[in-house]
Amino acid sequence: MSETWTFICASEELLPGELKTGFDEVTGSPIVVFNLDGELYALEDQCTHEEFELSSGTLDPDEGSIECILHGARFDIRDGRALCAPAYTAVPKFPVKREHGGIWSRDDRD
């Protein structure tokens, strides 16, 4: 498990209804961070159906979901669970924090 936090962006660069991406500095995992009404959520930036980056898809801040542009799989950005076919497996959720004027995340999987 990585204990190293990765800087994603300055806090003021991620407004409600927006997303930002980065890569975990230790594992190289792609990370997408969402601002949903001021609350931050981080997921692995990869659809579990076809290994395509979720950040290229459509964010629906009202529903709190992201839709993969490739085949239309949707995921809840708060917990990563799959909301519809063709995806059935949740996207890994990562910790995220605001600190020192920035937004930070990391791949905390074993």
Side-chain angles (χ1 to χ4, degrees), residues 5 14-15 17 19 21 24 58 84 87 89 98 101 106:
W5 290 85
L14 184 57
L15 301 176
L19 60 86
T21 61
D24 185 278
T58 304
C84 69
T89 304
R98 285 187 176 103
R106 67 176 183 190

Side-chain angles (χ1 to χ4, degrees), residues 38-99:
E39 293 293 322
L40 300 177
Y41 303 94
L43 300 175
E44 184 173 31
D45 189 15
Q46 188 167 306
C47 179
T48 57
H49 167 249
E50 190 81 22
E51 297 185 2
F52 195 79
E53 65 266 354
L54 289 175
S55 58
S56 295
T58 304
L59 174 62
D60 183 341
D62 294 329
E63 183 181 63
S65 67
I66 183 102
E67 182 176 320
C68 180
I69 196 169
L70 201 57
H71 294 115
R74 282 189 357 269
F75 300 89
D76 190 306
I77 65 172
R78 294 166 290 239
D79 58 15
R81 68 189 154 93
L83 298 175
C84 69
Y88 298 99
T89 304
V91 174
K93 180 181 177 182
F94 297 147
V96 62
K97 66 180 180 178
R98 285 187 176 103
E99 189 172 85

